Amino acid sequence: MKYLSRAVVCALLGLSVNALAADSGGSSTPTWSAGSSKADDAALKSAKAALAAGDHGAAQGQLKTALAADPGNADLHNLYAYSIRKGATPDMALVFKHYEEALRIDPKHRGAHEYLGEAYLMTGNLAKAKEQLAALDKLCTFSCAEYDMLKKAIAAYEAKAPK
């Protein structure tokens, strides 16, 4: 009975971890933290609404404002890079700059690792994308949505590559 209880607890914890990981991002949903930030709350709320509506240009403006108020926030750098990458004419140098800044601030930021890997795929750098997948493999003890999404993106990229 003691072992059954441990198994149930472990299963519940696993579900909770997977639910949180799924909530923290993926290619179609940008990653952001619900934690406190010095960033202007109104700008951040507007940016989140714009991203949810697919208005990446508006999100970029709001996130620039939020970053000015809180330049040490990895989530903001991640979201800003995401909004640029998903925009009509992505400036990939700026995208890489902000993903790398997010990872400098928080080297364990799973969303930034996933999105940086996807950015590398956009520029045809499969080896660098796989480096981000390897980093996520180390960060995600059991599994996480970010790892799964990047692995899927890499597989799709490889399937389209000329043979």
Side-chain angles (χ1 to χ4, degrees), residues 113-114 116-121 124-138 147 150-159 161:
H113 280 289
E114 176 197 349
L116 180 56
E118 291 176 7
Y120 281 127
L121 291 176
N125 195 335
L126 180 60
K128 286 287 195 179
K130 286 184 175 183
E131 285 178 17
Q132 296 307 308
L133 186 65
L136 282 168
D137 190 34
K138 290 179 183 174
Y147 176 86
L150 183 54
K151 185 174 182 178
K152 184 177 177 180
I154 289 171
Y157 180 88
E158 288 177 323

Side-chain angles (χ1 to χ4, degrees), residues 71-146:
N73 186 312
D75 288 330
L76 292 176
H77 284 282
N78 183 50
L79 286 174
Y80 185 55
Y82 176 91
S83 69
I84 295 167
R85 182 171 62 91
K86 292 295 189 172
T89 55
D91 176 346
M92 295 308 287
L94 195 55
V95 167
F96 287 116
K97 174 186 171 189
H98 284 279
Y99 283 138
E100 289 166 5
E101 181 63 8
L103 290 172
R104 186 194 66 76
I105 295 165
D106 180 3
K108 295 180 180 182
H109 196 291
R110 295 183 321 211
H113 280 289
E114 176 197 349
Y115 293 155
L116 180 56
E118 291 176 7
Y120 281 127
L121 291 176
M122 287 176 68
T123 62
N125 195 335
L126 180 60
K128 286 287 195 179
K130 286 184 175 183
E131 285 178 17
Q132 296 307 308
L133 186 65
L136 282 168
D137 190 34
K138 290 179 183 174
L139 291 173
C140 302
T141 305
F142 295 105
S143 184
C144 63
E146 295 85 359

Side-chain angles (χ1 to χ4, degrees), residues 28 30-32 44-60 63 79-80 82-84 86:
S28 62
T31 302
W32 56 70
L44 189 54
K45 285 181 185 176
S46 293
K48 288 177 182 179
L51 286 171
D55 188 350
H56 300 102
Q60 288 172 30
L63 288 163
L79 286 174
Y80 185 55
Y82 176 91
S83 69
I84 295 167
K86 292 295 189 172

